[in-house]
Structure formats: C-alpha cells, structure tokens
Amino acid sequence: MSVSLSHTSDPDPSQILHEVFGYANFRGPQQAIVEHVVDGGDALVLMPTGGGKSLCYQVPAIARQRAGRGVTVVVSPLIALMHDQVGALHEAGVDAAFLNSTLDWEETQDVERRMLRGEITLLYAAPERVNTPRFLSQLDSLNERGKLALFAIDEAHCVSQWGHDFRPEYRSLTVLHERYAGVPRIALTATADALTRADIVERLQLDGARQFVSSFDRPNIRYTIVEKKDPTTQLLRFIEREHEGDAGVVYCQSRKRVEDTAQTLCEAGVDALPYHAGLDAAVRQKHQDRFLREDGIVMVATIAFGMGIDKPDVRFVAHLDMPKNIEGYYQETGRAGRDGGPADAWMAYGLQDVVNQRRMIDESPAGEEFKQVMRGKLDALLSLAEASDCRRVRLLHYFGEQSSPCGNCDNCLNPPQVWNGTDAARKLLSTVYRVQQQSGISFGAGHIMDILRGKSTEKVTQYDHAKLSTFGIGSEFSEVQLRGVLRQLIATGALSVDAQAFNTLQLTEGSRAVLKGDVSVMLRESVSSPSDRKKPRREKASGGAPSPAAATLDATGQARFAALKAWRGEVAREHNLPAYVIFHDATLAAIAERAPATLEDLQGLSGIGAKKLEAYGVDVLRVCAAF
Ligand code: ADP
Ligand code: ZN
C-alpha cells in the first residue's frame, strides 16, 4: 500500500507543520513567528501556557536544518523533562538530543559527536551547561562552519528577578548574543507582565527582537475562587463533584500541607501523590513520571512542580493556598486543559492567605524597592480574589487585554450578592483606633470583632473594653461578615497585620480614607458553602471515558477508542514515554470516529504526521479492524 505522505526535505514551514506534526494549520501568531525566525530574525514570544510555544522554535529548527544551516540549541531549565521532550520529537521523526547530567560520559560524547557533525536538529541543554568552556568551544566549531542555526531560550522569564522562577544562570546567556551575533535567537515565556517583559529584553539584550504577544485568554478554563473554610474538605468535595478520575494538580504553600493533603486525598480514594523540594530527587522523578504516564493521577505539590509539564489532559488545577501574584496563579492554572477541553482553575482563599503573603514580603531580606514591587503584585491578585465581577476580565486586564464578561467563571455563572460594608469597615477601624488609644497596645482580629459585636469575653473584662464607645456598635454584623470586611481592608492595605507582634491589627495610611468615608467598601456576600451552590455541571462522557475528546462517540466508537487507548498504553510503556506523546486523546478519538480501513483514511487526521503514520498506521488499522 502506498501512502502519498512521505518524508521530504522541504523547508517550507506549513509543509513541516503538516508532514512532521500532522497539524493542518498554525495557531494564532505561530505562523508569523515561525516565518520571522526562519528568515533569521530574533523574536520574543509571549504566549499563555498551552498556547503552542514549542512549535514556534521546533518548526524553524527543522526548516533551518533542511536548508543546511545545522543545529538549533534549545536552552531549557527543565532537565527532568528533557527525556520526554526529546522522545516526543523522535516519535515525530525529528533528530533531537539532550545534554545534561543524567547522561553518562559515553552518551555525552556520542551526542557531542553527532552535534559537531551538524546532524542533530534540536539539541536541548540546561543554561549552566551553555556556559562551560567545553560547550562553547563546540558551538564555536559549529558556528565557524555555518552549522549553528538558531538559539531557542525557553522559559525566558527565568532571567528576570520579577518573574517567579528567577535562575541566575540565565543571566549569563548574553554570551550567546555576544559570541554568536549572527545566529538568530527566539526567547519564549508564558509569564510576562510589562515589568518582566522589559526585564527579559534588557537582560537578554533582545532590544532588536520582534515581540509577539498573543492573547492570554484560555477560554476553556473555568476560574473559581471560593472562601476558604475547611480547605481540604472543600477540595475533596470539588474533586468528587466535578473531577472524579481526572488528572489534576493541587498547589499548596508548604511541604507539610502537601504531605497532609496528599494523604487525606488518598484516604478518600483519590489517586494522589505528593511532590515538593524536600522529597528525594528519585521520588520526585518517580511521582512526576507516574503523573505523566498514568491516567487520573492528582499531583499535590508546591510550586516546585509543573514548569514545562506539557501533559495535555490535566482537567483541573486547584490552589489550597494563594500564590504570590497573578503571574504565578496564571502560569499554574494554565497547566489545566492544554488539549482545549473543559478544565477548572479552583482556588480557596482566606484571611490567612492575605496575612501570610504580606508577612512573607515584609520579612524577606530583599530591598525596599523590590518589596514595593512584590506588594503591588500581591495587591493585584488580592483584588482578583475579592472581585465580584468577571474573573477573566480582570486576569486579561492584568496582561493588558480588554475583554467582556466571559460566562465561564464563578462570578459570571453565579453572580455573587454584594453588600455595602462601608459602615462595618468604619466601625471596625474606629475600634482598632480606640482600643489602641485606651490600652496603648494593639490586638488581634478576634478580640476586635468581639468588641464590635459586644461580646463580654474574658479579654474584654480583663482590659475593660466594654467601656469603649465602639463596644457593641457592630452587633448587627455576623462574624463571617466582619471577617470579610477585615480581609478586604487588609487586602486593600487599609489595615495591616503586624506579624512581629502576635498578628495584631494596625491602622495604616490607607485607613484614613475609609474612616472619613471617602472610600466605600463593597463586599461579596459570604455564602455558607460556595462549593455547594448550584453550578451548571459539565457533561461527562458516559461509560467511564472521562476524556472530553471522546464524548461525542457512539457505542462502537467508544469501544474503538478504549481499544486504541489500551494499545497506546502498551506502546508508551515500550518506549518509556507518556502516552500522549504517542497520540493525544483527541487524535485517538478522531481515529475512533473515522473507523479507518486503509492508511489513506488516517491521513489528514490532526496529530498524525508522516513518521507516526509509517510507524503506527498498520497497528492502528489492526486495532480498529476488530470492531
Ligand atoms: P506551550 O509550550 O505554549 O505551553 P505547547 O507547545 O505544549 O504549549 O502546545 C500545547 C498543545 O497544543 C500541544 O499539545 C501541541 O501539540 C498543541 N498544538 C500546538 N500548536 C498546534 C497547532 N498549530 N495545531 C494543533 N495543535 C497544536
Ligand atoms: Zn467571567
């Protein structure tokens, strides 16, 4: 049987996209980026996680190799993922390799030899390696022979101290530009507010580079932020209600919280694994591999986990603790739903998060200027969490995009009741003021609320606080309401918490405007249990097939899909790669739907390039023939 698609050496980008990756069209700005880089231009690419950054340098690398220009060097901090990334390229028939500490001496030499011959199309290396004399002299040799095609700098925000993954080794990557001025560079990141972007340009000397900024919207992700009460139980209920059997990531602030949460989830029957920097490297790698290779694992992790994880079918990302800023939140939540199917970003947020994050900034040894920037970034996230309007509009606005209400976030789906908390806020601030005046010391939130609500506690008696003019003037407010007021006052800086002095409340510059009535305080109505509220439940595929890709298949199609998945699992195990590297769920679903009888029937299905057709076409037909 002859198949018209075959390996060519055509350097045309669209042809490469089609032939190597099996995709019909470039997405968004991919084509413009690819053409610019193929022509030798420098580029800075800002695209949300899951937007399709890899192809922006992989296609040019292949095109330039086919045009006789040699090797593309990909600088990436993700040593633990290089094996899979290179494996995915091999599956597509691309000559790729990596150089890192996991290779032994012989393997290293072998890769180096092949690189020096200009045979390798994409060479992945960690930034610390790029700066070794040995590697630089190899690059020199390639460059002298015109065999250094391109530098791709992945996760470029690592160069910026404003980004949340600062890696000092990235700073020295200017050597690439200085030493190999004629070689084009493409830097890519998913993290890029204006400040970080400017820093990347400056640090990597990309002033002359064209900037490609795509929309940061991820329409398939549903954003939900709930008030934190008993976060582990809230999380469990969320998983049980919406994501049984799904792969997900749960982010926690501390290692202990990671351990405890993973255990609780396991006890409740969820397939959860812990991941944090305190675990042995081998255990971390094992858990990461299981997450990538098996279906339906929930990874409970600190932010040490996730960069570069390109698993397409992560159905939810949950935050049990609030991250530091919107960039972190957006990058972490962006790991959900890369395949374009429905996914959730869920966060539990409470007063303690505000206090903790503020304290971490205050107590950090950084300079005042740095702290100011960090506070500004935290404030932006806090106002997102407190918002009663569309979350997505706010997120996109942060990245400089205008949009209208999305219809796919908690606030759009269930517009929260808003109440005017201005009066309560003023009473609360007055109480803080009077208590301090009367007693000469400050008190914590609990005591202040007791005074306001007129409760005769032991402490009230001890300090004679029933005599205060504000005693009992807030009796009409519930404690939940006052907590909300407190949280918002702290979130907006109208009140601060002194961590050095038993978390006591202190008035700030910002208190005055609220006290004078110049600023009104609008609050979300606290609901008893946000996760219990009515929510349009998403359709789940029946018959135990959680993949949204397969949801529309008929019964035979489902059976074919299941058989294809089983076959794919075997291949993936043999090749020691994650299953989605062989074929995405969406590709298997498309095959199951088409019910192919010949190799021609497989052609043109998204995700089946020439190499995969050649390697797996016959097997796929055999699996399908059983139905
Ligand atoms: P990023 O690195 O920006 O987070 P990836 O490069 O991992 O995103 O791409 C996300 C997913 O989208 C991958 O599964 C990839 O195969 C797929 N993808 C990228 N570009 C295209 C395209 N033009 N057509 C179809 N699928 C694409
Ligand atoms: Zn919305």
Side-chain angles (χ1 to χ4, degrees):
M1 198 176 313
S2 86
V3 188
S4 58
L5 250 186
S6 60
H7 304 277
T8 68
S9 50
D10 189 343
D12 174 59
S14 300
Q15 172 64 25
I16 292 171
L17 180 74
H18 188 55
E19 173 208 318
V20 178
F21 297 97
Y23 295 142
N25 298 301
F26 282 112
R27 237 191 229 167
Q30 278 176 337
Q31 181 156 12
I33 297 165
V34 165
E35 282 170 1
H36 179 72
V37 176
V38 168
D39 289 345
D42 291 338
L44 173 58
V45 173
L46 309 169
M47 227 184 236
T49 309
K53 282 183 289 300
S54 320
L55 289 187
C56 295
Y57 62 85
Q58 290 171 348
V59 173
I62 297 165
R64 285 176 76 82
Q65 173 67 286
R66 287 181 176 183
R69 291 176 176 276
V71 181
T72 289
V73 176
V74 184
V75 182
S76 161
L78 308 167
I79 293 178
L81 292 165
M82 284 182 188
H83 170 267
D84 289 355
Q85 287 172 334
V86 164
L89 286 164
H90 286 167
E91 290 293 323
V94 181
D95 200 335
F98 60 82
L99 280 176
N100 67 33
S101 48
T102 66
L103 297 185
D104 64 28
W105 178 235
E106 248 164 53
E107 292 168 322
T108 304
Q109 277 192 316
D110 180 53
V111 171
E112 289 175 344
R113 261 195 304 272
R114 290 200 297 127
M115 172 178 80
L116 284 171
R117 287 202 296 267
E119 288 170 9
I120 291 171
T121 301
L122 287 126
L123 180 89
Y124 286 73
E128 50 274 24
R129 169 155 320 236
V130 173
N131 258 294
T132 60
R134 181 181 176 88
F135 193 66
L136 285 173
S137 83
Q138 288 161 350
L139 293 186
D140 288 347
S141 158
L142 282 173
N143 193 35
E144 280 152 22
R145 292 176 283 133
K147 290 289 179 193
L148 199 44
L150 172 68
F151 291 115
I153 303 170
D154 206 2
E155 313 288 352
H157 62 280
C158 290
V159 77
S160 170
Q161 62 171 331
W162 308 126
H164 45 98
D165 295 308
F166 176 46
R167 308 215 174 192
E169 318 86 82
Y170 262 66
R171 290 278 163 92
S172 48
L173 290 179
T174 47
V175 69
L176 301 179
H177 167 67
E178 285 153 8
R179 200 156 164 147
Y180 311 108
V183 178
R185 292 176 303 154
I186 174 173
L188 310 103
T189 178
T191 297
D193 62 348
L195 199 61
T196 314
R197 192 189 311 174
D199 213 20
I200 295 173
V201 169
E202 191 194 322
R203 299 286 178 180
L204 293 177
Q205 295 168 24
L206 283 165
D207 324 54
R210 211 171 126 190
Q211 293 192 16
F212 295 89
V213 185
S214 357
S215 168
F216 269 66
D217 192 16
R218 297 286 310 282
N220 59 314
I221 298 181
R222 176 179 292 178
Y223 299 96
T224 302
I225 302 178
V226 304
E227 199 176 321
K228 194 187 281 192
K229 280 164 191 151
D230 175 359
T232 318
T233 310
Q234 288 172 288
L235 171 72
L236 198 53
R237 208 172 306 146
F238 163 71
I239 294 178
E240 283 166 358
R241 282 168 47 95
E242 316 238 347
H243 289 289
E244 216 175 312
D246 285 347
V249 183
V250 177
Y251 283 108
C252 308
Q253 187 92 65
S254 67
R255 296 170 185 187
K256 171 142 179 25
R257 176 93 125 186
V258 166
E259 296 283 351
D260 294 350
T261 307
Q263 192 182 343
T264 310
L265 291 183
C266 283
E267 282 161 7
V270 177
D271 230 340
L273 293 171
Y275 188 106
H276 57 70
L279 290 172
D280 204 51
V283 175
R284 281 206 305 267
Q285 181 75 40
K286 194 177 103 205
H287 288 185
Q288 176 171 300
D289 285 347
R290 282 196 56 197
F291 176 74
L292 293 176
R293 283 162 173 67
E294 294 174 27
D295 278 337
I297 300 263
V298 173
M299 190 69 112
V300 186
T302 60
I303 55 167
F305 176 77
M307 207 210 295
I309 294 289
D310 54 4
K311 186 175 168 64
D313 56 356
V314 175
R315 296 266 67 86
F316 70 91
V317 169
H319 282 92
L320 277 192
D321 299 302
M322 192 175 67
K324 283 186 175 53
N325 51 45
I326 290 187
E327 289 93 318
Y329 172 74
Y330 209 63
Q331 186 148 45
E332 284 145 28
T333 55
R335 290 169 187 146
R338 277 170 186 251
D339 54 9
D344 273 296
W346 180 95
M347 176 161 82
Y349 151 82
L351 180 60
Q352 205 52 45
D353 288 302
V354 186
V355 173
N356 286 347
Q357 291 293 357
R358 285 228 187 280
R359 181 169 54 206
M360 280 198 290
I361 296 173
D362 292 342
E363 290 176 353
S364 92
E368 198 43 46
E369 185 204 5
F370 184 86
K371 289 184 181 179
Q372 244 2 80
V373 173
M374 291 299 133
R375 284 190 194 108
K377 288 183 172 235
L378 174 58
D379 288 345
L381 179 56
L382 291 174
S383 72
L384 173 75
E386 293 289 341
S388 46
D389 52 3
C390 176
R391 311 271 191 201
R392 191 180 315 268
V393 165
R394 283 177 178 256
L395 281 167
L396 293 177
H397 179 76
Y398 184 82
F399 293 109
E401 283 178 51
Q402 300 304 320
S403 62
S404 41
C406 72
N408 194 26
C409 72
D410 54 351
N411 288 349
C412 281
L413 291 166
N414 279 306
Q417 298 289 323
V418 177
W419 65 285
N420 190 333
T422 311
D423 180 47
R426 291 172 70 185
K427 287 175 173 167
L428 206 148
L429 291 177
S430 316
T431 306
V432 174
Y433 176 73
R434 303 236 176 267
V435 164
Q436 179 147 38
Q437 268 210 325
Q438 193 226 46
S439 309
I441 52 170
S442 309
F443 291 84
H447 185 56
I448 298 292
M449 289 193 291
D450 285 344
I451 297 172
L452 206 48
R453 301 183 64 217
K455 283 171 98 181
S456 307
T457 64
E458 223 171 274
K459 213 170 193 171
V460 164
T461 318
Q462 184 189 345
Y463 290 97
D464 215 8
H465 282 161
K467 290 224 179 75
L468 290 171
S469 61
T470 56
F471 185 79
I473 61 168
S475 54
E476 75 268 37
F477 302 115
S478 71
E479 193 183 321
V480 176
Q481 282 178 315
L482 288 181
R483 279 204 172 276
V485 173
L486 253 174
R487 203 177 59 227
Q488 190 158 110
L489 288 173
I490 295 167
T492 56
L495 196 59
S496 75
V497 176
D498 188 349
Q500 312 293 326
F502 311 105
N503 287 337
T504 52
L505 298 175
Q506 312 279 344
L507 296 181
T508 68
E509 272 304 296
S511 308
R512 197 169 308 148
V514 179
L515 274 168
K516 282 202 308 202
D518 290 350
V519 176
S520 62
V521 178
M522 298 305 289
L523 292 132
R524 299 168 64 92
E525 189 80 70
S526 258
V527 282
S528 50
S529 176
S531 55
D532 282 343
R533 295 179 70 184
K534 230 182 41 233
K535 236 191 212 182
R537 264 201 86 155
R538 291 207 185 88
E539 293 290 302
K540 261 211 162 174
S542 56
S547 168
T552 57
L553 295 173
D554 63 16
T556 331
Q558 292 284 358
R560 221 179 275 122
F561 178 69
L564 285 164
K565 268 182 100 168
W567 163 80
R568 177 184 68 178
E570 281 166 36
V571 177
R573 262 189 302 281
E574 264 168 42
H575 294 205
N576 187 23
L577 286 170
Y580 61 83
V581 165
I582 310 301
F583 284 122
H584 282 188
D585 281 2
T587 304
L588 292 190
I591 298 173
E593 190 176 0
R594 184 164 296 184
T598 67
L599 288 178
E600 277 81 0
D601 294 342
L602 287 172
Q603 273 183 47
L605 288 181
S606 183
I608 308 187
K611 173 75 193 299
K612 288 188 181 176
L613 184 61
E614 185 185 298
Y616 303 125
V618 173
D619 283 352
V620 165
L621 294 181
R622 180 182 46 73
V623 174
C624 291
F627 296 88

